[in-house]
Amino acid sequence: MGCLSLEMDFELSAMTPRSLAMTPRSLARQRLFPNVENKKQKVEQSGAGPRKNLQLEVMEPGLKNDGPSLDTILVNYLDTLTQRVNFHLGYPVNICYDHYATLAPLLQFHLNNCGDPFLQNTVDFHSKDFEVAVLDWFAQLWEIEKDQYWGYVTNGGTEGNLHGILLGRELLPEGILYASKDSHYSVFKAARMYRMDSETINTSVNGEMDYSDLRAKLLQNKNRPAIINVTIGIYLLQLLSFFFFSFMDLISHLTTSPLMFFLTIGTTFKGAIDDVDVILETLKDCGYSQDRFYIHCDAALCGLMTPFINNMISFKKPIGSVTISGHKFLGCPMPCGVQITRKSYINNLSTNVEYIASVDATISGSRNGLTPIFLWYSLSAKGQIGMQKDVKRCLDNAKYLKDRLQKEGISVMLNELSIIVVLERPRDHEFVRRWQLSCVKDMAHVIVMPGITREMLDNFISELVQQRKQCYQDGKAEAPCVADDIGAQNCACSYHKIDYISS
Amino acid sequence: MGCLSLEMDFELSAMTPRSLAMTPRSLARQRLFPNVENKKQKVEQSGAGPRKNLQLEVMEPGLKNDGPSLDTILVNYLDTLTQRVNFHLGYPVNICYDHYATLAPLLQFHLNNCGDPFLQNTVDFHSKDFEVAVLDWFAQLWEIEKDQYWGYVTNGGTEGNLHGILLGRELLPEGILYASKDSHYSVFKAARMYRMDSETINTSVNGEMDYSDLRAKLLQNKNRPAIINVTIGIYLLQLLSFFFFSFMDLISHLTTSPLMFFLTIGTTFKGAIDDVDVILETLKDCGYSQDRFYIHCDAALCGLMTPFINNMISFKKPIGSVTISGHKFLGCPMPCGVQITRKSYINNLSTNVEYIASVDATISGSRNGLTPIFLWYSLSAKGQIGMQKDVKRCLDNAKYLKDRLQKEGISVMLNELSIIVVLERPRDHEFVRRWQLSCVKDMAHVIVMPGITREMLDNFISELVQQRKQCYQDGKAEAPCVADDIGAQNCACSYHKIDYISS
């Protein structure tokens, strides 16, 4: 497309996502900002700190303004982000895409995929054709025929969960929602929004649903249908906010009960995957026929990885809906997701609309028309082979990080087929903030996404080792015990050291 | 910012939004697509038809592909949109912004404003500082102190309505939702999602709430609190899909009741504004104290116009929340909106979270980080003075269109302080599709947004006059009677012609 060939886009990004100096990205940037000097290299060497709140306000042109101009604010903001991308370890976002220069001209239009993607528009400013192409691809991936499925590109995983659980409730109005305590918090939010009864299921140490607890609760409520949220290695972004602002900030913003806070902590942090087959078997054993349960799969992060590892998600099984996030493993400049369900369920939803004065079965109505094009472009440029390569590289890199940390005597856990490396929480807040790590209790995690290189991991490990030396050298403090959270065999604290795998 | 000065951005777009030949937009496009010939002028002269479904699929690189390449598909798509922008009359979207070249570099990052905009992130890839600046601006516009309000940038008007009505329900769990039959359909969708009882209020011919009907229904349900949706000239995008696909398409997609279909038709199409003051008075008269009602204002389209005309929306009145769409009057490449409410209500919501395992009071959780920057940039570059100019130009142009149509003897209605010109539905489907008009029953409407020039309106009128001549010249058919929908005084059909204003 003019200045960038697709091969260059993706090959370069996969090989050297962080070296912008001579890539098409910086060339394109030069085109867009011909007068802006590229200061990146210098700042990068000096080690960029976390970005600070810009304390902005909307300006009024014509009024006297002593502060920086709009242009200056934007250029500085972009520069900071460019530096900070090299320290982006803790969040499940693939920032390894250079196709912005190719797709940027789309920003000159307002693209709105309002309502159902399969219904025609009378206005031309939509991308429903791109959207349907993306949906077809996912339908094929999850083994459901074109004429049997319905779906749409959502604004993110939460919208998918809200939609899937609503579908379940509309099909089984008396149904109880079952979800493990490690489910994404939007699942419990949905229960409250939709005025549904819910049961929280325990989890094992690795974060997977405790199937015996599920069985016990299913048997307790046998007289009512079951709507089950299955977590396919989701990951929670929000919870991290809580650990780095002051207590006073918290109090001033919320008058909330401690209960809520602690509940947040129990979110899936470890990349565990609930086993759909075991859940289906449990339902059968407990006497639930197929018309008395609905399964929604929240596959936010792993939905795009599992098909290249096993066929966990398949509509050949009696599942109701699957949700993934588009900005996570695949990557997209803004949050988005894909929701796929059975067409017959949507028809049911549409038939029962006494109040919904529309055939629009989406949650959000007016929908982002850019994200389907980004997804279509990424999928088409990578293809299944490219995705498979990404999965392999990420799994390898996760294993590499885990092994290196183990060698250094640092508590660490990596679930099978997971890219989430859970480690002891670094003691130094500045270090955590610098590497944008996500922490819960005494754990931190690195999510080894496609954009993360061995070089970044090496830098991280060497800084971590150095930081631990500083913290623990005088013997006054010692590394935390995380045996309860990630298992004794993964804990390298002074007490469990003796059982530590690498020792 | 390098290649574009802000003044040029906005002045040029305001003056000649459709003439791309020598504007910064086309210059930037040339930079991004140096090898693509600019074919626009030629095609424009020949009169571009509606765009066709591209029948796309996701490609697999490496596999043999006889079709066009990714690049070709994208270039053609962009070219079609560029042509079709000149015929964009029926939808409330401001497509008059050329700042895409300035903001395009943001696309190289994933920006995610997860959760509460006022809570800090540990990850740097967000734009919460821009978001809070935008929220502060709206808070000031709607007269609520910084420390008294809470809000967030949503994915669009629907999310704002879902949020506002949820707030109302959480504050008044037994409350009944009251909304006029011309409310946006998402309001009734919310009632169903949230398992709320609701009452539909009649409207007058101009689309405004029938306050005597509201009074009667409030008195009927005096024992339960009231949650009232107030429509500030909203506009429905979705409904238009229904009129141009075949009946068989409809049947195959939906097994739906006719009731639903007809309810859709009664949506606000005319730009009417419910009077908050009269509603407050009615509540008082009916004996509802302030702790027994909640008012949500759906100001999707007009929320950014009314402040420059009157102070209809103000938190000095006992209203609970206000929602606007950011992509409508202001303009943004993707749907977005702003939701503002009272901080105390959010605290209440957060306190009651037994199930919501988070302090995140937004609906969508992970949120688009680009839209706040677009809104901040547009507001800062235009300022209140620029917005005021836009409002004046749009009102003038709407009046111009109405007068011209009246002069031509075409049925037409324009509410006071509205930019929605309702006219008789053109008989020729091709014409309707070409001008991307939105139609309901025998009405069509033009929404005179900031991007619409007199030149576009003149072209439209002259084509419409010509098209009517062809349709009605042989006397076999005649223009429809729309007296029931827009009033006899606005109807120019053969029966009402005698009372027609201009005659």
Side-chain angles (χ1 to χ4, degrees):
Chain A
M1 181 152 255
C3 56
L4 294 182
S5 81
L6 296 181
E7 291 71 23
M8 277 185 76
D9 256 24
F10 283 89
E11 280 311 306
L12 267 177
S13 68
M15 301 298 288
T16 58
R18 310 291 134 235
S19 327
L20 302 188
M22 294 301 291
T23 63
R25 183 193 287 187
S26 57
L27 288 175
R29 192 166 179 277
Q30 277 297 315
R31 274 193 201 99
L32 290 167
F33 298 93
N35 303 331
V36 179
E37 200 192 336
N38 192 342
K39 298 174 192 159
K40 186 174 174 298
Q41 218 167 3
K42 201 183 80 201
V43 189
E44 217 177 296
Q45 281 163 359
S46 74
R51 87 174 185 83
K52 293 191 175 59
N53 189 310
L54 300 173
Q55 307 289 352
L56 296 172
E57 51 186 49
V58 169
M59 300 176 207
E60 184 68 27
L63 291 188
K64 198 173 175 298
N65 167 31
D66 296 330
S69 69
L70 288 190
D71 292 13
T72 311
I73 292 169
L74 276 174
V75 170
N76 289 343
Y77 177 67
L78 284 163
D79 275 342
T80 307
L81 294 182
T82 306
Q83 294 154 20
R84 295 295 294 148
V85 106
N86 296 289
F87 299 86
H88 194 292
L89 279 195
Y91 291 78
V93 171
N94 182 0
I95 36 170
C96 170
Y97 45 86
D98 280 330
H99 44 295
Y100 93 93
T102 308
L103 299 175
L106 292 166
L107 286 181
Q108 71 197 296
F109 305 104
H110 172 78
L111 296 176
N112 192 331
N113 288 11
C114 57
D116 191 316
F118 299 94
L119 296 186
Q120 275 184 319
N121 273 48
T122 53
V123 65
D124 286 335
F125 292 83
H126 65 89
S127 64
K128 288 190 175 180
D129 13 23
F130 293 86
E131 185 175 15
V132 170
V134 169
L135 297 173
D136 282 350
W137 190 89
F138 279 96
Q140 197 184 5
L141 192 73
W142 294 329
E143 305 186 305
I144 183 166
E145 295 296 322
K146 271 192 192 184
D147 60 349
Q148 295 294 307
Y149 89 88
W150 185 89
Y152 73 103
V153 173
T154 64
N155 287 306
T158 289
E159 186 177 344
N161 288 341
L162 292 180
H163 194 266
I165 293 166
L166 183 61
L167 277 175
R169 194 202 69 178
E170 293 302 285
L171 284 163
L172 304 167
E174 297 303 315
I176 294 172
L177 177 66
Y178 296 81
S180 92
K181 69 185 174 73
D182 280 15
S183 302
H184 190 266
Y185 74 92
S186 61
V187 172
F188 300 101
K189 181 153 80 173
R192 184 175 172 87
M193 277 168 73
Y194 299 155
R195 291 186 157 164
M196 295 169 76
D197 290 332
S198 68
E199 288 276 10
T200 307
I201 311 297
N202 287 332
T203 49
S204 61
V205 169
N206 77 345
E208 191 174 344
M209 186 183 273
D210 174 346
Y211 307 109
S212 62
D213 192 39
L214 173 68
R215 175 188 299 267
K217 281 169 179 156
L218 282 172
L219 289 172
Q220 260 170 34
N221 303 302
K222 234 184 127 173
N223 59 331
R224 288 174 62 184
I227 296 161
I228 302 186
N229 180 76
V230 178
T231 300
I232 315 282
I234 68 109
Y235 161 84
L236 185 69
L237 199 61
Q238 265 74 357
L239 79 166
L240 317 158
S241 317
F242 305 129
F243 294 89
F244 296 96
F245 54 86
S246 71
F247 187 61
M248 284 314 291
D249 266 7
L250 184 67
I251 294 299
S252 77
H253 272 293
L254 317 156
T255 50
T256 180
S257 73
L259 174 68
M260 188 178 77
F261 193 82
F262 289 114
L263 277 173
T264 306
I265 290 167
T267 45
T268 290
F269 190 75
K270 301 160 185 169
I273 293 178
D274 294 343
D275 193 317
V276 179
D277 297 326
V278 176
I279 289 169
L280 284 169
E281 220 163 286
T282 309
L283 280 162
K284 199 176 163 191
D285 286 355
C286 295
Y288 284 76
S289 53
Q290 281 193 23
D291 58 339
R292 293 190 58 248
F293 69 80
Y294 180 93
I295 290 180
H296 170 69
C297 301
D298 176 5
L301 172 60
C302 295
L304 263 169
M305 292 178 59
T306 48
F308 303 102
I309 304 169
N310 59 34
N311 61 344
M312 173 67 84
I313 305 175
S314 167
F315 277 92
K316 288 184 177 164
K317 302 171 187 176
I319 58 172
S321 43
V322 181
T323 286
I324 63 129
S325 292
H327 57 287
K328 291 185 178 161
F329 201 78
L330 191 58
C332 186
M334 60 213 95
C336 64
V338 172
Q339 163 78 339
I340 299 279
T341 183
R342 296 178 193 277
K343 200 170 179 177
S344 55
Y345 293 172
I346 286 294
N347 290 351
N348 178 299
L349 185 70
S350 301
T351 313
N352 289 329
V353 279
E354 290 157 63
Y355 295 111
I356 306 177
S358 153
V359 287
D360 177 17
T362 70
I363 298 254
S364 48
S366 274
R367 296 183 298 104
N368 192 326
L370 283 175
T371 47
I373 306 180
F374 274 85
L375 294 178
W376 170 82
Y377 187 85
S378 288
L379 288 171
S380 292
K382 285 203 180 197
Q384 297 223 9
I385 291 168
M387 294 291 296
Q388 210 152 6
K389 274 188 195 165
D390 275 356
V391 170
K392 192 181 173 315
R393 195 173 62 248
C394 291
L395 289 172
D396 287 351
N397 282 344
K399 177 86 173 37
Y400 171 81
L401 174 61
K402 184 211 157 202
D403 290 347
R404 288 278 322 264
L405 291 173
Q406 231 170 21
K407 227 177 219 166
E408 299 288 351
I410 298 169
S411 301
V412 63
M413 183 188 87
L414 174 64
N415 273 324
E416 205 190 345
L417 303 181
S418 173
I419 56 170
I420 303 185
V421 179
V422 184
L423 60 146
E424 65 173 50
R425 180 182 185 151
R427 209 179 154 80
D428 180 9
H429 281 197
E430 276 307 304
F431 177 87
V432 167
R433 190 64 191 77
R434 173 171 157 83
W435 286 95
Q436 300 172 73
L437 296 182
S438 129
C439 297
V440 162
K441 292 200 279 185
D442 277 330
M443 299 173 283
H445 70 195
V446 170
I447 309 194
V448 187
M449 298 300 283
I452 293 178
T453 58
R454 291 262 165 125
E455 193 192 340
M456 277 172 83
L457 294 177
D458 287 340
N459 289 341
F460 170 71
I461 295 162
S462 95
E463 273 195 37
L464 177 63
V465 168
Q466 213 173 350
Q467 181 265 327
R468 286 179 95 247
K469 259 190 202 146
Q470 281 168 10
C471 287
Y472 303 132
Q473 66 185 355
D474 59 5
K476 279 185 192 155
E478 55 180 47
C481 172
V482 285
D484 284 352
D485 292 314
I486 64 173
Q489 74 281 16
N490 299 314
C491 181
C493 78
S494 56
Y495 181 77
H496 292 102
K497 210 168 193 168
I498 200 157
D499 299 321
Y500 191 57
I501 292 166
S502 74
S503 60
Chain B
M1 179 154 255
C3 58
L4 293 183
S5 81
L6 296 183
E7 291 71 24
M8 277 185 77
D9 257 23
F10 283 89
E11 280 310 307
L12 267 176
S13 69
M15 300 301 286
T16 57
R18 311 290 135 236
S19 326
L20 302 188
M22 294 303 290
T23 65
R25 182 193 288 186
S26 57
L27 287 175
R29 192 166 180 277
Q30 276 298 313
R31 277 193 198 98
L32 290 167
F33 298 93
N35 303 330
V36 178
E37 200 191 336
N38 192 341
K39 298 174 192 159
K40 187 176 174 296
Q41 219 169 1
K42 201 183 79 199
V43 189
E44 218 177 294
Q45 281 164 356
S46 74
R51 88 174 185 84
K52 294 193 173 59
N53 189 311
L54 300 174
Q55 307 288 351
L56 296 173
E57 52 187 49
V58 169
M59 300 178 206
E60 184 67 27
L63 292 186
K64 198 173 173 302
N65 168 30
D66 295 331
S69 68
L70 289 190
D71 292 13
T72 312
I73 292 169
L74 277 173
V75 169
N76 289 342
Y77 178 66
L78 283 163
D79 274 342
T80 308
L81 294 183
T82 307
Q83 294 155 20
R84 295 294 294 148
V85 106
N86 297 290
F87 299 86
H88 194 294
L89 280 194
Y91 291 79
V93 172
N94 181 0
I95 35 170
C96 170
Y97 46 88
D98 281 329
H99 44 295
Y100 92 94
T102 308
L103 298 174
L106 292 166
L107 286 181
Q108 69 197 296
F109 305 104
H110 172 77
L111 296 177
N112 192 331
N113 289 10
C114 58
D116 191 317
F118 299 94
L119 295 186
Q120 272 184 319
N121 272 49
T122 53
V123 67
D124 286 336
F125 293 83
H126 66 87
S127 63
K128 288 189 176 181
D129 12 24
F130 294 86
E131 184 175 15
V132 171
V134 169
L135 296 174
D136 282 350
W137 190 89
F138 278 96
Q140 196 184 5
L141 193 71
W142 294 330
E143 304 185 304
I144 182 166
E145 294 297 321
K146 270 193 194 186
D147 60 349
Q148 296 294 308
Y149 89 88
W150 184 89
Y152 72 104
V153 173
T154 64
N155 287 306
T158 288
E159 186 177 345
N161 287 342
L162 292 180
H163 194 267
I165 293 166
L166 183 62
L167 277 175
R169 194 202 67 178
E170 294 302 284
L171 284 164
L172 304 168
E174 297 303 314
I176 294 172
L177 177 66
Y178 297 82
S180 90
K181 70 184 173 72
D182 279 16
S183 301
H184 190 266
Y185 75 91
S186 60
V187 172
F188 299 101
K189 182 152 81 173
R192 185 176 171 88
M193 279 169 73
Y194 300 154
R195 291 185 158 164
M196 294 168 76
D197 291 331
S198 69
E199 289 277 9
T200 307
I201 311 298
N202 287 333
T203 49
S204 61
V205 169
N206 78 344
E208 191 175 344
M209 187 183 271
D210 174 347
Y211 307 108
S212 62
D213 193 38
L214 173 68
R215 174 187 300 265
K217 282 170 179 157
L218 282 173
L219 289 173
Q220 259 170 38
N221 303 302
K222 234 186 127 174
N223 58 330
R224 288 172 64 185
I227 296 160
I228 302 186
N229 180 76
V230 177
T231 300
I232 315 282
I234 69 109
Y235 161 84
L236 184 69
L237 199 61
Q238 266 73 358
L239 79 167
L240 317 159
S241 317
F242 305 131
F243 294 89
F244 295 97
F245 55 84
S246 72
F247 188 60
M248 284 314 289
D249 266 6
L250 185 68
I251 294 298
S252 76
H253 273 292
L254 317 155
T255 50
T256 181
S257 73
L259 175 67
M260 188 177 76
F261 193 81
F262 289 115
L263 277 173
T264 307
I265 290 169
T267 44
T268 290
F269 190 77
K270 302 161 187 170
I273 293 178
D274 294 343
D275 193 318
V276 179
D277 297 325
V278 175
I279 290 170
L280 284 169
E281 219 163 287
T282 308
L283 280 162
K284 200 176 162 191
D285 287 354
C286 295
Y288 284 74
S289 53
Q290 280 192 25
D291 58 340
R292 291 188 62 247
F293 68 81
Y294 180 93
I295 290 181
H296 170 69
C297 300
D298 177 6
L301 172 60
C302 295
L304 263 169
M305 291 178 59
T306 49
F308 303 103
I309 302 168
N310 60 34
N311 62 344
M312 173 67 83
I313 306 175
S314 167
F315 277 92
K316 289 184 177 165
K317 303 172 187 176
I319 59 172
S321 44
V322 181
T323 286
I324 64 129
S325 292
H327 58 287
K328 290 184 179 163
F329 200 77
L330 191 58
C332 186
M334 60 214 96
C336 64
V338 171
Q339 162 78 340
I340 298 279
T341 182
R342 295 178 194 276
K343 201 171 179 175
S344 55
Y345 293 171
I346 286 294
N347 290 352
N348 179 299
L349 185 70
S350 300
T351 313
N352 289 328
V353 281
E354 290 158 62
Y355 295 112
I356 305 177
S358 153
V359 287
D360 177 18
T362 70
I363 297 256
S364 48
S366 274
R367 296 182 299 106
N368 193 328
L370 283 175
T371 46
I373 306 180
F374 275 85
L375 294 178
W376 170 82
Y377 188 86
S378 288
L379 287 171
S380 292
K382 286 202 178 197
Q384 298 221 10
I385 291 168
M387 295 290 297
Q388 210 152 4
K389 274 187 194 164
D390 275 357
V391 170
K392 193 182 172 313
R393 196 173 60 247
C394 291
L395 289 172
D396 287 351
N397 282 345
K399 177 87 174 36
Y400 171 80
L401 175 61
K402 183 211 158 200
D403 290 347
R404 286 279 321 264
L405 291 172
Q406 232 170 21
K407 226 177 220 168
E408 298 289 351
I410 299 169
S411 300
V412 63
M413 183 188 87
L414 174 64
N415 274 323
E416 206 190 345
L417 303 181
S418 171
I419 56 170
I420 303 183
V421 178
V422 184
L423 60 146
E424 66 172 50
R425 180 182 186 150
R427 207 179 155 81
D428 180 9
H429 281 196
E430 277 307 303
F431 177 88
V432 168
R433 189 65 191 76
R434 174 172 156 83
W435 286 94
Q436 301 173 72
L437 296 183
S438 130
C439 298
V440 161
K441 293 201 278 185
D442 278 329
M443 299 173 283
H445 70 198
V446 170
I447 309 195
V448 187
M449 297 301 282
I452 292 178
T453 58
R454 291 262 165 127
E455 193 192 339
M456 278 172 81
L457 294 177
D458 287 340
N459 288 342
F460 169 71
I461 295 162
S462 94
E463 274 195 38
L464 177 63
V465 168
Q466 211 172 352
Q467 180 264 328
R468 286 179 95 249
K469 260 190 202 147
Q470 281 168 9
C471 286
Y472 303 133
Q473 66 185 355
D474 58 5
K476 279 184 190 156
E478 56 180 48
C481 172
V482 285
D484 284 352
D485 293 313
I486 61 173
Q489 76 281 17
N490 299 314
C491 181
C493 78
S494 57
Y495 181 76
H496 293 100
K497 212 169 191 169
I498 199 156
D499 299 322
Y500 192 58
I501 292 167
S502 74
S503 60

